Amino acid sequence: MGKISKRRLLSLVVLSAVAVAFFTLHFSQAQVTGSLDLSVPPLQIINSAGYAVYQHKYFSGAYYAAWKSSPLGGSLGPNNFSIGDVDNDGSREIAAVVNYATREERIKGKTVTYFNQKIVAFENGNYSGGLPNWESPPLGESTSVVNCNTAIADVDNDGDFEFALLKGRHIEVYDLTGGGFSLVKKWDDYPYPIFSIDAGDADNDGENEIVLSIFYVGAPIIWKYDNASGNWSSKTAEPIPPEDYGAGFDMLGLDYARVRDADNAIDEYNKKDNEIVGGGNNDRLMVWKYNKDTQAYDLKFVSADLGGFTQGVDAGDINGDGQNEVVVGSCRTGQGRKRTPGNLCIFAFNGASYVMVNSFGLEFDLGDLGLGDLDNDGRAEIAFSAVPPPSLRIYDFIGQVGAGNIQLAYGGEGYGLEIR
């Protein structure tokens, strides 16, 4: 989705020598010779390049591309892959969705392309360049593709993991237990585009929900499964006010809505609870939280304009103090020589509200963003996909929020990312 926003925030710190560092650190596909190892710690990143899925890990003081799949044919979308125990055998796999064109038709003078998909899975020990260990039957021909992210999670809270994906404007959930294949649930099409999907305990009741970032609605949509009735129900979070839409837009295009602990609050059971953090075409960070009294998802915070579409957002402990921060990335703005860099913005909850404590200029457009302790040092690294060129970047946060900076630790080729 091509995105150009309007205003931008003056960066507090400007990164230097990013391009030089990237080309020094980028990996060569030909050098990837290891086998797939999804054990933790440390966490790992997967992304896609050249129709293959790549795994990147930290080992003996350095990041490297540890494994790659065989070229999968068709096309992988930017985030059509996930790590998790997708077949419920007790060990984790990488699952990915491959789109492939099946035929074309002329309808009312226009060429319409039809697509189908298959799910493939890679087990631990799969050699670099290896074929999938398992492949599904075709998911069903349509004019839609799976071009957004997927999720491996226990979305119906039955004790087993499912594989949830976005296909066009609807959700599909599959059970792949034991290498089997069954469609658990297929939703009707929404009238609006869905940009991404997440799964987690959004209402802090100990069970998972599916959370959709969606356009035109002005808020995330949360789906919950009731085991007692066997039914799914949905709630729409409190919409943001029109004055917080992006300049020139009459709607909110919500790009990412993720279930994360953003405020570090402790609930009545002495556990940290979750919020929903989001970003979109209004150039802002948005935070929602479930209200147990009203059973509604309240809008708790909308930031000032951050200077570009906030296409990446996540929360994690980037400075190792035991408290999570929210990290948001914004796209570059303008055209040609007047094009200005995007920003990487860090917010901290001060007990009453979210405050921006750092902002770093970026010399590229930022897409998906994820946080995770990749080198097992007690601090979450900041990873994101960027263009141009299509690339993976991993940054360390150095120092303390409000006074620290970021340092490029690794660069690689490709699109999208997931950290698990």
Side-chain angles (χ1 to χ4, degrees):
M1 205 173 113
K3 296 189 171 182
I4 298 172
S5 60
K6 296 70 51 187
R7 309 178 301 278
R8 67 177 299 349
L9 183 70
L10 179 63
S11 297
L12 303 180
V13 179
V14 178
L15 299 179
S16 61
V18 170
V20 173
F22 168 67
F23 287 110
T24 300
L25 291 168
H26 85 284
F27 68 83
S28 167
Q29 293 184 21
Q31 296 172 348
V32 184
T33 58
S35 59
L36 182 60
D37 177 11
L38 294 169
S39 60
V40 290
L43 300 175
Q44 56 244 288
I45 291 182
I46 54 174
N47 74 337
S48 63
Y51 305 108
V53 179
Y54 280 76
Q55 178 203 37
H56 309 264
K57 292 196 78 169
Y58 184 89
F59 182 75
S60 295
Y63 293 95
Y64 66 107
W67 171 88
K68 69 174 181 179
S69 73
S70 59
L72 296 177
S75 64
L76 284 172
N79 243 26
N80 290 4
F81 41 75
S82 291
I83 299 173
D85 187 5
V86 71
D87 59 2
N88 296 291
D89 66 349
S91 62
R92 304 200 307 168
E93 294 82 31
I94 290 177
V97 179
V98 182
N99 297 288
Y100 52 95
T102 55
R103 60 189 175 91
E104 290 184 345
E105 264 187 29
R106 295 288 292 179
I107 299 177
K108 295 182 179 180
K110 295 183 178 181
T111 300
V112 177
T113 303
Y114 288 82
F115 300 90
N116 214 321
Q117 292 83 28
K118 59 184 177 182
I119 302 170
V120 297
F122 298 90
E123 301 274 0
N124 266 339
N126 186 289
Y127 289 103
S128 281
L131 296 171
N133 298 95
W134 181 86
E135 183 176 307
S136 77
L139 303 189
E141 188 183 63
S142 70
T143 57
S144 298
V145 295
V146 177
N147 58 2
C148 296
N149 64 320
T150 61
I152 298 173
D154 183 8
V155 297
D156 59 6
N157 301 290
D158 65 349
D160 286 338
F161 293 99
E162 289 79 37
F163 189 55
L165 57 88
L166 297 176
K167 185 175 180 181
R169 296 187 175 195
H170 70 263
I171 321 167
E172 296 179 7
V173 176
Y174 291 90
D175 185 345
L176 309 179
T177 300
F181 177 82
S182 61
L183 178 64
V184 174
K185 172 69 175 177
K186 178 180 177 180
W187 278 257
D188 293 333
D189 277 6
Y190 275 97
Y192 320 118
I194 309 171
F195 198 86
S196 68
I197 185 173
D198 194 29
D201 187 4
D203 61 4
N204 300 299
D205 68 346
E207 297 187 341
N208 289 330
E209 289 77 41
I210 293 174
V211 177
L212 303 180
S213 62
I214 193 164
F215 284 20
Y216 298 97
V217 173
I221 292 177
I222 301 93
W223 280 93
K224 187 176 186 67
Y225 184 75
D226 179 39
N227 277 293
S229 67
N231 295 321
W232 290 86
S233 61
S234 71
K235 287 186 177 181
T236 301
E238 179 184 353
I240 69 165
E243 58 265 27
D244 289 329
Y245 291 172
F249 291 94
D250 59 1
M251 58 84 183
L252 170 67
L254 188 63
D255 288 336
Y256 285 97
R258 286 177 163 161
V259 182
R260 300 291 189 268
D261 175 22
D263 67 4
N264 303 289
I266 305 295
D267 65 16
E268 63 269 31
Y269 303 105
N270 201 33
K271 294 181 180 180
K272 288 189 174 183
D273 58 11
N274 291 322
E275 290 72 47
I276 299 174
V277 294
N281 69 352
N282 62 343
D283 308 355
R284 303 169 192 271
L285 167 66
M286 295 157 282
V287 182
W288 291 266
K289 186 162 188 167
Y290 186 73
N291 186 323
K292 291 184 178 180
D293 293 330
T294 64
Q295 299 183 0
Y297 290 88
D298 295 338
L299 179 63
K300 305 299 289 187
F301 178 76
V302 181
S303 76
D305 190 313
L306 300 180
F309 286 11
T310 43
Q311 288 188 205
V313 58
D314 205 349
D317 182 8
I318 63 171
N319 64 348
D321 66 351
Q323 302 291 300
N324 284 350
E325 291 76 38
V326 182
V327 181
V328 187
S330 68
C331 292
R332 298 188 296 173
T333 65
Q335 295 284 355
R337 293 182 179 180
K338 295 183 178 179
R339 195 163 172 81
T340 56
N343 293 296
L344 190 69
C345 302
I346 299 169
F347 286 79
F349 189 72
N350 66 5
S353 186
Y354 295 86
V355 178
M356 189 172 70
V357 291
N358 292 90
S359 178
F360 305 97
L362 303 175
E363 297 302 323
F364 36 76
D365 282 346
L366 184 148
D368 197 10
L369 180 150
L371 304 182
D373 187 1
L374 297 165
D375 58 7
N376 206 29
D377 67 348
R379 291 174 172 237
E381 278 68 48
I382 302 168
F384 51 83
S385 57
V387 291
S391 57
L392 168 70
R393 315 286 178 102
I394 300 175
Y395 285 87
D396 290 315
F397 185 85
I398 308 299
Q400 296 302 310
V401 294
N405 54 47
I406 54 175
Q407 177 178 301
L408 182 65
Y410 178 75
E413 301 163 326
Y415 297 89
L417 66 91
E418 180 174 88
I419 299 176
R420 284 288 179 91

